[in-house]
Amino acid sequence: MTTKAVAPYGEWVSPVSASMLTAAARPLSFPTIVGDEIWWAEGRPAEGGRSTVMARRSDGTVEELLPAPWNTRTRVHEYGGRSFVGVPGPAGHALVFAQFDGQRLYRLDPGAERPVPLTPAPAIPAGLRYADLVVARDGAEVWCVRERHTDDDLERHLVAVPTDGSAAEDENAIREIVGGSRFLANLRLSPDGTRLAWLAWDHPRMPWDGTELRVGALDASGRVPEWTTILGGPTESVFQPEWADDDQLYAVSDRTGWWNLYRLDASGGEPVALRSAQEEFGAPLWQLGYTSYAALPDGTVLCMHGPVPSGTERIGRLDPATGTLTDLDLPYQVFGTSLAVSGGRAVVVAGGPTTPTALVRFAASGDGSDVEVLRSALDPDLVPDAGYLPIPESTTLPGGDGQGVHVHVYPPANADFEAPTGELPPYVVFVHGGPTSASLATLDLGKAYFTSRGIGVVDVNYGGSTGYGRAYRERLRDQWGIVDVEDCAAAARALVDRGDADPARLAIRGGSAGGWTTLCAVTDTDVFAAGTSLFGVADVRLLAATTHDFESRYLDGLVGDLSDPAIAARADKRSPLSHADQTRCPVLLLQGSDDPVVPLEQAEKFRDALASQSIRHALMVFPGEQHGFRKAESIIAATEAELSFYGQVMGFEPPGVPRITLSD
């Protein structure tokens, strides 16, 4: 047996470097079956955060379809979504994609050296955006959501873009199919081609608050002049409609408090539940193009669902006739947001607490035993030995208001080191963004970076998180900055009470909405010794005045209608910036220079407030980064700065990282 070296928590030498987070990682998303090939989007942090499209050929080879410097990413809703599709042609399938710079649609034919534009250059830079692409009319058109920006507003339509390039210089060649609402998503053409189904909603609702499933007949010009709402409303969230046949649809609805699957007539009427369960069969529509289920030729439905009692997810076949759900024996417990099925094959991005995330394929009608890994999200040659990776504990801890809060606890783990007898480890509370989002127990090198150095991590799915039903999600209604903070603080205290964590060395960190929770926590509680905000919200009213359209009324449900003076005053009082002088601990601010969601101004104002009170702090601004860091150099610098920050505040010297300067 190898004797472990003894070193204080935080000073363990780890093989998990910050550069490994980018060199080993290649984010995978939107798996798509195109003919007899599998296509997917793949992130390239080492190439400036570029996103490309990859293909798994029928002979098993993997090929990059979209060469550098082309970058497929859509900015519809700023969070984007599905940005590519395969279009059949005489020489094989062409790639149609949205290019990040300029946001135009392009077509890249097999064997061609360069893509050709399909949509016109907008008068306003990036002012015409396209997402949620589907193929229509045998490949002659791509139908999608178009977002048109003007000098003072924007509008969205479902549109038809010809794939022959005729609209590249003539915007009138793009046909507006239907509009009628501020937000549109999930367009689906009926099998007989006569009707269109789609989702719609308007301010101030977010898609997890309430959406409408609409159906309308296409006229001779290929437009939908009239429609009927057949499911959903202001307090019912509908997700992913799919045609079961020419006259019936499937859809996910949370009308019972959980996103369950239903079948309903295209003309309306009462929907029929395929299975009633206190589980989620859908997801919050943060990005366009999410899919969680697919109908199979034998009449069953392949679907993702969860969380199950262990806090993980499953894929099963649901029999609509009996409601029987038979789970497949897949060696994964966490699944991505897109499930694709065609010709008896299914593909999905999957992973688990100790299993690297990968693009996998399996028989949709099988038992899961034939699962095949097509592409790993982590370079297998760079994945550390299991002895350096934490095994998460998914559990429920006492929450701030007496209710349980769902967490994943990642204890320190390093095959070479142990701490001195009697020493308790520091712990960092990870706060996910959203706040209508969730964290799942996955093998994450970002967490292993800390745990392999002797710093524990607890990932908190505070009240407001998705995956646990509408009631849990709505614990945050009008309570943003209160319930989330109480739950995170309570989870940290619970780890102290269990004897797992050092009460004097607790930190909290989060991005975006998680940054808000972090800043609220360090200004309102005495629990934490340090706080790290990544592009976090510091001022509610400033956010409402400067953020993008998709989230511009999100605050109505989180803090209330800011047009009401009493609510605005309450929001001002709750905003961390209003009482930054009461910050109880040092703060690290990490921010992208070009963030359209939470602009740099928020971090700068909070920095100035800390400086005015001589509170230890640092602000690092990353040029060219938006809401979330994509460039390798940004990710590396931010990660190492965070570790150095915790070391300086908590009294340990992490080896091998540059020491950042904290200002008073």
Side-chain angles (χ1 to χ4, degrees):
M1 178 180 292
T2 303
T3 301
K4 290 188 174 184
V6 177
Y9 288 116
E11 297 187 7
W12 298 352
V13 177
S14 169
V16 185
S17 65
S19 60
M20 186 181 292
L21 306 188
T22 61
R26 44 191 181 214
L28 311 175
S29 61
F30 294 106
T32 307
I33 299 176
V34 181
D36 58 0
E37 299 177 348
I38 311 296
W39 294 8
W40 65 92
E42 184 169 303
R44 298 289 177 81
E47 298 179 30
R50 183 176 78 93
S51 182
T52 186
V53 178
M54 304 293 292
R56 164 88 172 209
R57 303 299 193 188
S58 57
D59 61 3
T61 59
V62 174
E63 180 181 342
E64 182 175 8
L65 297 182
L66 191 63
W70 297 94
N71 181 6
T72 180
R73 181 178 160 202
T74 172
R75 288 184 58 190
V76 172
H77 297 179
E78 293 300 347
Y79 292 107
R82 173 172 286 281
S83 63
F84 72 94
V85 72
V87 176
H93 283 86
L95 170 66
V96 171
F97 67 96
Q99 165 68 5
F100 179 64
D101 296 329
Q103 289 293 290
R104 298 174 77 181
L105 288 183
Y106 287 81
R107 187 191 76 241
L108 179 61
D109 293 318
E113 293 186 2
R114 290 182 58 83
V116 297
L118 299 183
T119 58
I124 297 175
L128 292 171
R129 307 174 182 182
Y130 309 86
D132 213 357
L133 281 60
V134 299
V135 180
R137 303 200 171 183
D138 296 326
E141 294 178 337
V142 167
W143 292 11
C144 58
V145 177
R146 183 189 64 192
E147 182 178 285
R148 180 203 296 271
H149 291 248
T150 63
D151 289 334
D152 56 1
D153 202 2
L154 56 79
E155 61 182 18
R156 298 181 180 91
H157 287 83
L158 301 183
V159 301
V161 178
T163 57
D164 62 3
S166 58
E169 303 296 335
D170 180 11
E171 187 178 342
N172 293 325
I174 296 177
R175 184 174 72 258
E176 292 184 354
I177 302 171
V178 70
S181 281
R182 188 74 172 186
F183 302 98
L184 307 164
N186 288 156
L187 64 159
R188 297 292 189 268
L189 186 62
S190 63
D192 62 8
T194 64
R195 287 188 285 188
L196 190 68
W198 70 97
L199 297 181
W201 69 98
D202 288 286
H203 284 315
R205 287 176 281 159
M206 300 300 288
W208 44 86
D209 295 327
T211 55
E212 297 179 9
L213 171 51
R214 295 174 178 172
V215 174
L218 290 155
D219 64 15
S221 68
R223 295 175 172 83
V224 177
E226 298 179 344
W227 63 81
T228 302
T229 295
I230 64 171
L231 190 66
T235 58
E236 179 183 358
S237 174
V238 182
F239 172 84
Q240 191 193 342
E242 300 287 354
W243 289 91
D245 54 38
D246 289 335
D247 299 309
Q248 291 193 317
L249 293 114
Y250 294 122
V252 174
S253 166
D254 72 347
R255 56 176 32 217
T256 65
W258 296 84
W259 272 312
N260 285 182
L261 264 164
Y262 293 83
R263 182 176 57 222
L264 68 161
D265 194 90
S267 60
E270 189 67 16
V272 176
L274 302 190
R275 178 182 174 87
S276 296
Q278 291 189 354
E279 294 182 63
E280 305 284 37
F281 290 75
L285 201 61
W286 276 107
Q287 290 188 313
L288 296 176
Y290 286 174
T291 53
S292 64
Y293 73 92
L296 301 180
D298 64 1
T300 61
V301 177
L302 190 71
C303 55
M304 299 187 288
H305 67 99
V308 294
S310 63
T312 57
E313 299 175 309
R314 302 291 293 167
I315 289 182
R317 275 192 310 279
L318 177 59
D319 185 343
T322 65
T324 302
L325 180 61
T326 304
D327 285 333
L328 279 62
D329 188 22
L330 295 167
Y332 304 99
Q333 298 80 38
V334 176
F335 299 96
T337 51
S338 296
L339 174 69
V341 176
S342 178
R345 297 171 299 163
V347 290
V348 70
V349 175
T354 59
T355 306
T357 299
L359 177 68
V360 301
R361 175 172 59 188
F362 55 92
S365 58
D367 61 3
S369 61
D370 66 335
V371 65
E372 176 187 9
V373 175
L374 304 181
R375 182 78 160 176
S376 176
L378 296 177
D379 185 333
D381 295 332
L382 296 177
V383 176
D385 182 81
Y388 303 98
L389 302 175
I391 299 177
E393 172 199 2
S394 297
T395 188
T396 302
L397 299 175
D401 57 3
Q403 295 192 42
V405 57
H406 306 285
V407 302
H408 306 294
V409 183
Y410 298 79
N414 188 307
D416 302 325
F417 285 88
E418 62 184 5
T421 301
E423 182 181 354
L424 289 172
Y427 256 82
V428 182
V429 173
F430 273 45
V431 192
H432 66 70
T436 310
S437 185
S439 295
L440 295 168
T442 59
L443 194 163
D444 181 352
L445 292 185
K447 295 183 178 70
Y449 180 82
F450 292 104
T451 58
S452 62
R453 288 168 168 78
I455 305 168
V457 168
V458 56
D459 220 341
V460 181
N461 283 320
Y462 51 84
S465 302
T466 49
Y468 307 97
R470 189 174 186 115
Y472 191 80
R473 193 165 76 236
E474 294 200 340
R475 282 182 59 210
L476 206 60
R477 183 165 292 277
D478 294 334
Q479 297 296 305
W480 193 36
I482 297 176
V483 166
D484 48 330
V485 173
E486 291 175 347
D487 279 356
C488 289
R493 292 191 192 100
L495 291 182
V496 171
D497 293 342
R498 292 193 336 180
D500 293 344
D502 184 343
R505 296 193 292 174
L506 299 172
I508 184 169
R509 59 96 70 190
S512 189
W516 156 273
T517 303
T518 294
L519 296 178
C520 286
V522 300
T523 54
D524 291 337
T525 78
D526 294 312
V527 174
F528 301 103
T532 300
S533 170
L534 298 94
F535 38 90
V537 178
D539 185 292
V540 164
R541 285 221 269 180
L542 185 59
L543 176 70
T546 59
T547 196
H548 59 128
D549 180 65
F550 177 64
E551 292 184 286
S552 62
R553 298 292 301 278
Y554 192 9
L555 296 172
D556 285 36
L558 296 175
V559 297
D561 185 351
L562 295 177
S563 64
D564 183 325
I567 292 175
R570 183 180 70 189
D572 288 342
K573 184 177 180 181
R574 198 180 297 177
S575 293
L577 186 60
S578 69
H579 48 281
D581 58 338
Q582 300 174 26
T583 300
R584 320 294 176 87
C585 63
V587 176
L588 174 63
L589 303 165
L590 304 171
Q591 178 72 40
S593 64
D594 301 337
D595 192 336
V597 180
V598 181
L600 172 60
E601 180 184 7
Q602 295 238 8
E604 291 176 331
K605 284 180 176 290
F606 201 86
R607 182 269 319 272
D608 294 344
L610 294 175
S612 71
Q613 299 297 316
S614 298
I615 298 169
R616 295 177 74 194
H617 68 276
L619 168 63
M620 295 181 64
V621 180
F622 298 93
E625 293 286 12
Q626 297 194 351
H627 199 60
F629 304 150
R630 294 173 178 267
K631 300 178 182 179
E633 58 269 27
S634 303
I635 296 169
I636 292 169
T639 302
E640 292 183 337
E642 189 174 351
L643 178 60
S644 172
F645 172 62
Y646 296 144
Q648 292 184 55
V649 173
M650 296 181 182
F652 57 83
E653 288 291 337
V657 298
R659 185 180 179 89
I660 65 166
T661 300
L662 297 180
S663 301
D664 292 328

